Every structure is written in C-alpha cells, then in structure tokens.
C-alpha cells in the first residue's frame, strides 16, 4: 500500500517505514510535488496532524497520513507540548531545543531549592486519510528527562529522554528497541493493524 507521509524529516520517515514494515511504501510530500513547508498552526497535536494530512490530501487526492508529536515535561507545566520542534525558535534545531529544555528545568529546580521530579512523556497523534475518510491513532511513551545528553542514535530529544523501565536514553537504546516502545511506534502499529484489517 502506497501512502504519502507528511514529513520532511528523514529520521521520522525511516522510523515509520521500519515500524510499518512490509506491505507499505512511504513517499514524501516532495516526491508528489509538494515542496513548500506544510502549515502547523493548531493548538493541539491532533489539530496539527489533521491540518498536515488534509493539506496533502487536498493537493494530491492520495491516501496519506501525518503525525504530530510533542514532549510534555511536568516540571514545565506540560511544555514544550505543541511547540516541541520549535521550542528554541524556528528552524527545528534539536540541539538548541534540548539546551533550552535542560536550562529551563535547571532554573526551576534552583528556584525550588531542591531536586524536582523530571517526569515527562511523548505523545503522538496520527491522522490517516484513506479514500477521503479520516482515522485517528494516538500513542504515549512515559519516562523522564536525563540531566544531560547521552547517545548518538535517534533524533530530536532522544538524547535526553529516558523511557519508563529503562536506564538509558532513547538515543542509546537503538532503533529496534525505541520503535518497539515509542509513542509513534504505538500509534503507527495501531494504524497498520487497522489498514491490514
């Protein structure tokens, strides 16, 4: 089954292809002629996911899906949330985003005068459009934020996120383990199950 995946992120594309497995051919928006940046102006993950999928479908008529993922840090009141990819400003700079997040957490701990809980979670909302009909799939991965970056795998915040039940960051665990437990993995496996019917 051929699906347009509304992403320009090669890490996300590779991850999705590995999670979905055989029987699915993923193509990028650029491969179907959409080279502009797809808008993400929603106030929730689902709204952004829906907006991106609709953008692709309305321009191509092709079956497609989009995801929006966010990191929620309890100490920061759920931030960065929908601003996860742009937390340190425009440009999707993962290193700058992690630096800002760690600095904000350190500042809050200093203000509190003690070590504070570092609990956090990743959430994903996937919108699938098949034959013009919308379907939604969600996934959550609980964990906590490390004190510093560790590992060279993955992308985004992987070097500072330690999933529940593990002692290493997503960037240290390797793609096979990460894909098995990740928020995106859970949502995409639910989508694949639905498509295989």
């Amino acid at each position: 089954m051929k699906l347009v995946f509304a992403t320009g992120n090669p890490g996300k594309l590779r991850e999705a292809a590995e999670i979905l497995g055989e029987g699915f051919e993923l193509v990028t928006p650029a491969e179907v002629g959409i080279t502009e940046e797809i808008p993400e102006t929603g106030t929730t993950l689902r709204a952004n996911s829906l907006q991106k999928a609709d953008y692709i479908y309305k321009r191509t008529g092709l079956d497609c899906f989009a995801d929006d993922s966010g990191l929620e840090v309890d100490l920061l009141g759920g931030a960065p949330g929908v601003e996860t990819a742009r937390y340190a400003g425009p440009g999707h700079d993962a290193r700058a985003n992690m630096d800002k997040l760690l600095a904000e957490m350190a500042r809050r701990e200093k203000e509190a005068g003690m070590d504070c809980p570092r609990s956090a979670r990743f959430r994903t909302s996937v919108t699938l459009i098949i034959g013009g009909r919308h379907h939604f799939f969600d996934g959550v991965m609980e964990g906590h934020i490390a004190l510093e970056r560790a590992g060279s795998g993955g992308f985004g915040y992987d070097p500072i996120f330690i999933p529940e039940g593990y002692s290493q960051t997503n960037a240290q665990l390797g793609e096979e383990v990460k894909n098995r437990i990740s928020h995106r993995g859970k949502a995409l496996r639910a989508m694949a199950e639905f498509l295989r019917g």
Side-chain angles (χ1 to χ4, degrees):
M1 174 179 285
K2 188 173 185 176
L3 293 169
V4 182
F5 181 19
T7 186
N9 181 325
K12 265 193 188 184
L13 186 67
R14 185 180 66 250
E15 184 178 275
E18 287 172 4
I19 291 165
L20 292 173
E22 289 181 18
F24 294 96
E25 179 192 351
L26 302 186
V27 296
T28 64
E31 291 174 292
V32 294
I34 297 174
T35 54
E36 67 273 23
E37 191 161 330
I38 299 171
E40 291 179 71
T41 57
T43 57
T44 65
L45 298 176
R46 178 167 287 187
N48 279 337
S49 170
L50 176 61
Q51 183 180 29
K52 291 189 283 188
D54 277 344
Y55 191 90
I56 297 288
Y57 188 75
K58 285 173 183 169
R59 281 156 182 77
T60 68
L62 298 171
D63 292 338
C64 61
F65 71 99
D67 85 304
D68 197 33
S69 298
L71 175 63
E72 299 173 350
V73 179
D74 293 330
L75 183 61
L76 303 180
V82 293
E83 296 297 322
T84 294
R86 298 168 296 280
Y87 191 48
H92 298 75
D93 184 333
R95 181 170 282 277
N97 287 337
M98 285 186 283
D99 287 346
K100 179 177 179 180
L101 185 81
L102 292 172
E104 279 293 306
M105 291 183 74
R107 186 178 65 76
R108 295 280 177 98
E109 286 189 325
K110 190 175 179 183
E111 286 172 0
M114 60 180 183
D115 290 341
C116 295
R118 301 181 71 83
S119 53
R121 70 210 45 82
F122 273 112
R123 289 189 192 277
T124 289
S125 181
V126 172
T127 300
L128 169 70
I129 303 178
I130 295 286
R133 298 190 66 177
H134 294 75
H135 307 275
F136 302 97
F137 307 90
D138 298 304
V140 179
M141 177 171 52
E142 295 286 344
H144 66 275
I145 303 299
L147 292 169
E148 58 187 26
R149 285 191 287 273
S152 57
F155 58 92
Y157 292 81
D158 284 346
I160 61 169
F161 186 85
I162 300 173
E164 194 170 70
Y166 292 81
S167 58
Q168 294 179 304
T169 68
N170 277 346
Q172 294 172 298
L173 290 175
E175 285 194 20
E176 187 180 325
V177 174
K178 180 193 163 192
N179 289 348
R180 191 172 64 241
I181 63 173
S182 79
H183 51 302
R184 190 173 295 108
K186 290 171 186 172
L188 291 179
R189 276 191 297 278
M191 183 181 88
E193 209 172 289
F194 168 80
L195 288 170
R196 290 187 178 113

